[in-house]
Amino acid sequence: MDKPQPQPAVVVEEHPHLTGQPCDAHGNPLPPGAAPPPLPPSTNTYDPFQSRPQFELADFLFRKEQMSGAKISELMQLWAATLPPDQDPPFADDKHMYDTIDSIPLADMPWQAFVVTYVGPRPDGDVPSWMDREYTVWYRCPRRVLHAQLGNPDFADTMDYTPKRVFQGDHREYKDFMSGDWAWRQADTIAEDPTTHGSTFCPIILGSDKTTVSVATGQNEYYPLYLSNGLVHNSARRAQKNAVSLVAFLAIPKTDRQYTGDAQFRRFRRQLFHTSLHTILQSLRPGMTIPEVVRCADNHYRHTLAGGWHITFGRHCMIYGLGPYIADYPEQVLLACIVQGWCAKCTADRRDLDNPEAPPRSHEHTAALLDAMDLTGLWDEYGIVGDLMPFTVGFPRADIHEMLSPDLLHQVIKGTFKDHLVTWVEEYLILTHGKAQAAIIMADIDRRIAVVPSFPGLRRFPEGRGFKQWTGDDSKALMKVYLPAIVGYVPDQMVQAFSAFLEFCYLVRRNVITTETLLQIEDALDRFHQHRVIFKEVGVRLAGFSLPRQHSLVHYPRLIQLFGAPNGLCSSITESKHIKAVKEPYRRSNRYEALGQMLLTNQRLDKLAAARLDFQSRGMLQGPCVHDTEGDLEEVAVEFAIEMEDEDCGPVDEDILGEVILARRKARGYPRSTAGIAEAIGVPQLPELIQRFIYAQLLPDGHVPVAPIDLVHCPPPPSRLFVFPSAVATFYAPSDLCGARGMRREHIRACQSWRGGAPRYDCAFVTEDEDMPGFRGLAAVRVRLFFSFTSHAGVKYPCALVTWFVPTKDEPCDKTGMWIIEPEVDANGQEVISVIHLDSGNAPIPPTLQHTDSLDAFNAFYVNKYADHHAHEIAF
């Protein structure tokens, strides 16, 4: 195969008129390359805190530990008892600490409220209680919240101030929001007014979703509204680095059971929602037509059409505009004022949603239908709730039907995969084999899932997939291991349907999507539609596939072109925000009229975060807060976190290059000598393998084969080795859960006992040929030992002892699309084993087989390119 040509350079085309040009405080443009205005003089004090330790203590107790007020007071009393009479603890009590946090002058965005009441017709006689209630909506000024985000110095290097088109050769790239066509088209419309030229267009991204807080005495629902901006990169929005802010708690009207389906009540509930959004967003409306000067994270002013933290940096003139709205399907139905079962994006009939000829919905189309049809006709023929218009009608350049973003979590992961495909397989097995035999088969499928070998970030299902309460993380994890588990128990076409869907899923979840990727997405979707008919043919889906969440997949190619990669607009972002903004503040309350306490908790958290940013920007938080005489406590804490972390992987926020390093702590229980370690692990040839490894390292060309080399030509082996339980790989994987800069860390384990149980020896990918595409340039290995040694020449080598796997064929499996590999053996049938350098059939599964034994129990394995998004991008 010919080697691939070098990648063409990336070319970025920026909008010619809304250029995001920096300006001074009065909106006058600055010349290109002009330095930002100087920051205000620094006081270098920790006001309102007396010192850094006092600030760190308040942050630790309130944000990290979430300690109750009573315990804070008790702690301060105990602290005082250890001090001389003339000294006081950092805080007198909890009230003192709370008052100090409240006096932080930054992030001064107080909560305010308005009340909505029903003023429509009332029935004679008994009046439903919902008609008499007052509905309070709590909110913070969205303009001030937006300014806080735009001025956050954390985002200085992760913002785009102008719409852009990114090309690599002949291929367009869609990544962050401003790389999509929607922002460019909005800029074209705004630029029709010459006075806006040079401004920054700032899209406003909203998201809302009810969340339930369960307690022993019942359930409480809350309805948070979140705000982000389209300038910040997707990775920063996904990393939850204050790029998504809580802006309001919407009211949730409730009524007696007898009125739940009442038409008046349902209409009022919709009106309350849209009226609330329209009212909350009013402070942004003037900036949607007249640019305003905003000081941004890059130290420049800019004019903004918009459409906090009060740390002042460079200013820009900005114009605001309502952008994508993040919502699951029920929320989209409410937002778009449509009937359940219809599509919020197009006018396809609910009985034939995948009709390719259906035109898109729009405000203009709805207005024309309102003039031509009665409410009943609108409801029945177009799925339109005609007695209410969406809140976006009252804002310039806003159309809710266009603004609704793709929702990977509920449309793809929970919807199509878990609720549809996984459920249909179970129904197929019951229809085909009966309940008793189907239960036996599903139990074996569960065992197949349970014995999947360990891999960094790959969640295990010890009991299979038979659990009652599914979460989004459960569905994502099962998606990684489900496909090979059903092979042999369902028709090949059903396996192919899963394979095509998973390919679609992993492609649309990538961080960068090119025009070539879009073709692959459309091909995967076409194959999925072609193969899913098997579920109709076997009697599972006799009603067909007119399902709103599954239908939404057909809109993804166009939505990617409009909004960039969907992973920056997924409802998993807002659901993750629920934890910090709703669930934890609720648990910290006394449960009585909890909302007021939750608002105050959120306000204090924002103030502490703003103070930390301010102190960091002035260089006042460098280094650890406290040192001990034995060493650096912060280093010890980092080491402990790395070694004891429950998860095998996670995001990395440091600005570092990719690397693979050995764990900081050595493994226990091994001999010290090389010969002793070889005997302990059952690899007597380990000293020889190390000799050949050193020989290879000394050669100028690392590709020279070393196995035939006579040992007399190799350097002597070291007398001593240092064994480690794991290695930490840090690499760029922006499609997975990562830090704001796209970096991710995974722990690769090789230890005699994992968490007091069985041994764990992880698998990993090793690059063999960088010029070959995908898995053809990789090898799969199983790590048997991590170790390091110092050669007789004084060179230190971090190493891994690995066994190798080889593909059984030259191509992936035609049913699953996954490579199948088997252990590589030599002429004597022994596993091939070597030392490498650390650089960046359907027989039932025995019930007693453990996942730790899987790699030794089978003859061949699927290479799981669905283990994570990084694997999908390299192991194709």
Side-chain angles (χ1 to χ4, degrees), residues 526-541:
D526 287 344
R527 287 187 286 112
F528 172 61
H529 287 165
Q530 173 189 346
H531 292 305
R532 71 176 178 180
V533 298
I534 185 65
F535 290 104
K536 186 174 183 178
E537 292 172 356
V538 298
V540 173
R541 286 299 305 174

Side-chain angles (χ1 to χ4, degrees), residues 262-298:
D262 181 73
Q264 275 186 300
F265 175 70
R266 288 189 285 114
R267 184 173 185 271
F268 172 71
R269 188 172 56 192
R270 291 191 292 263
Q271 287 177 323
L272 173 62
F273 176 79
H274 286 275
T275 299
S276 298
L277 290 179
H278 184 270
T279 303
I280 291 167
L281 299 172
Q282 282 306 301
S283 65
L284 291 169
R285 203 179 189 289
M288 294 180 180
T289 51
I290 302 174
E292 64 180 32
V293 177
V294 178
R295 202 156 193 172
C296 298
D298 66 349

Side-chain angles (χ1 to χ4, degrees), residues 15 163 180-190 402 558 562:
H15 196 273
D181 292 336
W182 185 87
W184 191 285
R185 287 194 341 222
Q186 289 278 310
D188 284 343
T189 302
I190 294 168
E402 184 180 49
R558 181 59 186 144
L562 288 175

Side-chain angles (χ1 to χ4, degrees), residues 99-259:
D99 289 344
T100 305
I101 296 173
D102 292 339
S103 63
I104 296 173
L106 308 174
D108 193 18
M109 297 175 287
W111 289 91
Q112 49 194 314
F114 60 85
V115 176
V116 180
T117 57
Y118 175 75
V119 295
R122 294 168 175 262
D124 296 331
D126 293 336
V127 176
S129 59
W130 66 265
M131 291 185 175
D132 292 327
R133 292 195 183 112
E134 292 184 342
Y135 300 93
T136 303
V137 177
W138 287 94
Y139 73 103
R140 296 189 287 187
C141 174
R143 180 174 172 271
R144 298 179 72 172
V145 171
L146 184 64
H147 284 194
Q149 291 180 1
L150 296 174
N152 188 332
D154 271 358
F155 305 140
D157 300 323
T158 56
M159 275 190 172
D160 295 315
Y161 293 103
T162 180
K164 62 183 182 181
R165 292 169 175 165
V166 182
F167 299 88
Q168 188 172 44
D170 296 331
H171 296 294
R172 172 92 178 266
E173 290 187 349
Y174 300 93
K175 182 184 177 185
D176 300 309
F177 181 77
M178 297 299 279
S179 68
D181 292 336
W182 185 87
W184 191 285
R185 287 194 341 222
Q186 289 278 310
D188 284 343
T189 302
I190 294 168
E192 293 175 2
D193 178 0
T195 64
T196 64
H197 290 190
S199 300
T200 297
F201 170 54
C202 179
I204 298 162
I205 297 174
L206 299 170
S208 59
D209 179 34
K210 291 191 188 76
T211 184
T212 301
V213 181
S214 299
V215 294
T217 56
Q219 292 185 330
N220 290 284
E221 277 190 314
Y222 293 95
Y223 207 160
L225 175 69
Y226 300 108
L227 179 145
S228 185
N229 68 85
L231 305 186
V232 72
H233 292 175
N234 286 355
S235 57
R237 191 176 303 112
R238 292 166 54 212
Q240 297 289 340
K241 292 293 183 181
N242 297 309
V244 179
S245 302
L246 175 67
V247 74
F249 277 98
L250 305 176
I252 304 177
K254 295 184 178 180
T255 186
D256 300 331
R257 184 183 297 271
Q258 68 186 93
Y259 297 109

Side-chain angles (χ1 to χ4, degrees), residues 761-780:
Y761 301 105
D762 285 347
C763 291
F765 290 120
V766 174
T767 301
E768 283 201 312
D769 189 344
E770 294 181 350
D771 294 327
M772 297 293 286
F775 190 68
R776 291 174 174 84
L778 299 175

Side-chain angles (χ1 to χ4, degrees), residues 639-653:
E639 180 180 332
F640 181 81
I642 290 176
E643 293 302 311
M644 301 303 292
E645 187 182 38
D646 285 340
E647 298 296 330
D648 286 329
C649 58
V652 178
D653 288 319

